[in-house]
Amino acid sequence: MDCAYFDARRCRSCSLMGQPYPAQLAGKQALAEQLLAPFGVGTWHPPLASGERDYRNKAKMVVGGTVSSPTIGILDADGHGVDLQACGICSPGHRAAFGPIARFITLARIAPYDVPSRTGELKHLIVTESPDGELMVRFVLRSTEPVARIRKHLPALLADLPNARVVSVNVLPEHKAVLEGEQEIVLTEQQTLSMRLNDVTMHLRPQGFFQTNTAIAAALYAEARDWITDLAPASAWDLYSGVGGFALHLAGGETAVTGIETSVEAVASAELSRTDAALHRVRFAAGDATRFALDAPATDVPDLVVVNPPRRGIGAELGAWLEASDVGHVLYSSCNATSLAKDLAAMPSLRPVRARVFDMFPQTPHFEVMVLLERTAA
């Protein structure tokens, strides 16, 4: 993939840009195999390739410039806006939306936040596109000062961007390098974005986590379901369940599934999906994954545990609990093979019987790797 922004050194975020894609994929596979070699993976399935461009379903852009000429992209070393509206890894739907949103910023007089002077309001723009081409548009603001103007002019944005279904304001008053704050104000009647993957429809709220690459996420969840079909677990936990991607895909048949997630918003989304699908053997609850496992009665330990943790991994406590438990199988989906290897070292009784790399993030060094762990005989 070629990128004019990368070639001009305006944006270097995609550090593998310009490297032939087969070489990128081979490098990720080699790294995963190297990191997991000490654990004797039974079978490595071929790595799953992504499309090289247009793959992101979520665009997280910094807004700079001025009210009359806003930039949507990143900031340079001096804190000034660099416009990246034609970014090739964003979806075509994102690129088509940036122009109408930029016009709306001018219409509603939402002053872009200026980092050097700490003035202005609009910090970030977060746009998510569903598999059906519908959009969630979120304006991350320093305060609620522009909200009345955004509400007033919202009909103009919806007319100019007819596939926008959810529009919200997020408030981030602190001057710090984070994407969003805690307060969310949804401005549209529709509160969630429908994310249809395979035969499962998930409902994404503004602050809910969803895998970045829709096509690869669909393949990941489908493969997870295939891997556990022959195991026929009577019960399963989906820890770090997010909006329920794994749990909802594993919920067919006789398996009773419990999803645990710290985000109350994500749990509400997952419960809505469960209700819509009439999945009576699935439940979701808000809580800490490690604490949930440690506090569970020994009689409630499931046959299967699914973990899809953040980059830091599951950590020592949960790893120790899984090692000492009677859980027969663990399905571990990781966005950081280094922390995965560290966690596997803490669970020597659980052997990886199969693994696969899913290239969730082309043009970058990052990737997802999923492993199925099986308890060995004592």
Side-chain angles (χ1 to χ4, degrees):
M1 173 182 169
D2 294 321
C3 174
Y5 297 132
F6 186 85
D7 292 344
R9 305 192 72 84
R10 294 182 66 191
C11 175
R12 307 293 283 186
S13 299
C14 295
S15 59
L16 300 185
M17 188 66 70
Q19 183 179 131
Y21 184 65
Q24 292 184 32
L25 193 61
K28 295 177 183 186
Q29 179 68 26
L31 177 59
E33 291 187 14
Q34 174 190 340
L35 289 169
L36 302 192
F39 311 105
V41 176
T43 300
W44 274 104
H45 297 270
L48 189 65
S50 169
E52 296 183 40
R53 54 175 298 126
D54 302 336
Y55 68 82
R56 289 193 66 93
N57 57 38
K58 185 175 185 177
K60 300 179 286 187
M61 310 296 264
V62 182
V63 180
T66 63
V67 170
S68 59
S69 185
T71 61
I72 297 175
I74 59 174
L75 299 180
D76 64 17
D78 296 321
H80 300 129
V82 176
D83 196 79
L84 302 176
Q85 291 189 43
C87 174
I89 66 169
C90 290
S91 74
H94 292 145
R95 294 194 292 272
F98 292 147
I101 294 171
R103 292 192 291 271
F104 179 75
I105 292 169
T106 300
L107 176 66
R109 309 300 295 172
I110 317 170
Y113 184 70
D114 183 73
V115 171
S117 65
R118 302 193 181 190
T119 59
E121 286 291 337
L122 181 55
K123 295 182 174 182
H124 303 126
L125 174 68
I126 306 172
V127 183
T128 302
E129 183 179 20
S130 79
D132 297 318
E134 298 180 333
L135 299 177
M136 177 188 292
V137 180
R138 302 172 62 207
F139 297 95
V140 181
L141 305 174
R142 184 176 65 160
S143 75
T144 57
E145 185 275 329
V147 172
R149 295 193 303 281
I150 294 175
R151 287 187 187 275
K152 175 184 176 180
H153 295 289
L154 184 58
L157 175 63
L158 298 178
D160 204 15
L161 198 60
N163 56 335
R165 295 292 178 267
V166 183
V167 179
S168 71
V169 162
N170 179 275
V171 184
L172 175 61
E174 299 88 359
H175 179 85
K176 58 183 181 181
V178 296
L179 183 64
E180 60 190 68
E182 295 182 4
Q183 182 182 3
E184 193 86 24
I185 304 169
V186 180
L187 305 177
T188 48
E189 181 178 354
Q190 186 167 323
Q191 304 276 307
T192 65
L193 188 67
S194 295
M195 305 294 284
R196 181 178 47 81
L197 270 67
N198 305 314
D199 55 352
V200 172
T201 297
M202 288 166 278
H203 296 275
L204 182 63
R205 292 176 183 267
Q207 292 182 302
F209 168 79
F210 197 83
Q211 297 283 8
T212 301
N213 187 321
T214 301
I216 297 298
L220 179 75
Y221 295 141
E223 186 110 339
R225 179 159 55 189
D226 288 346
W227 284 7
I228 68 101
T229 294
D230 291 341
L231 304 179
S235 57
W237 291 349
D238 179 8
L239 305 182
Y240 313 95
S241 57
V243 295
F246 283 102
L248 294 167
H249 277 81
L250 303 182
E254 297 302 314
T255 305
V257 184
T258 298
I260 302 297
E261 167 61 42
T262 57
S263 168
V264 175
E265 288 284 309
V267 170
S269 298
E271 274 291 296
L272 178 58
S273 302
R274 179 195 67 79
T275 302
D276 281 357
L279 295 171
H280 305 298
R281 294 181 63 78
V282 183
R283 75 177 187 94
F284 295 94
D288 177 77
T290 300
R291 181 47 49 195
F292 175 81
L294 268 58
D295 290 346
T299 53
D300 291 347
V301 173
D303 301 321
L304 169 73
V305 170
V306 179
V307 290
N308 182 209
R311 289 190 60 79
R312 65 178 179 274
I314 63 174
E317 276 192 296
L318 183 53
W321 183 87
L322 286 167
E323 170 65 15
S325 74
D326 292 327
V327 173
H329 291 88
V330 174
L331 188 71
Y332 192 138
S333 184
S334 170
C335 61
N336 183 355
T338 300
S339 61
L340 169 62
K342 182 178 179 181
D343 289 337
L344 292 184
M347 301 184 290
S349 296
L350 289 159
R351 185 178 69 87
V353 292
R354 54 171 60 180
R356 191 173 196 182
V357 166
F358 295 78
D359 194 12
M360 196 76 71
F361 313 99
Q363 316 306 331
T364 81
H366 304 295
F367 57 91
E368 193 87 6
V369 58
M370 185 167 69
V371 295
L372 178 64
L373 310 176
E374 181 176 78
R375 189 168 298 280
T376 59

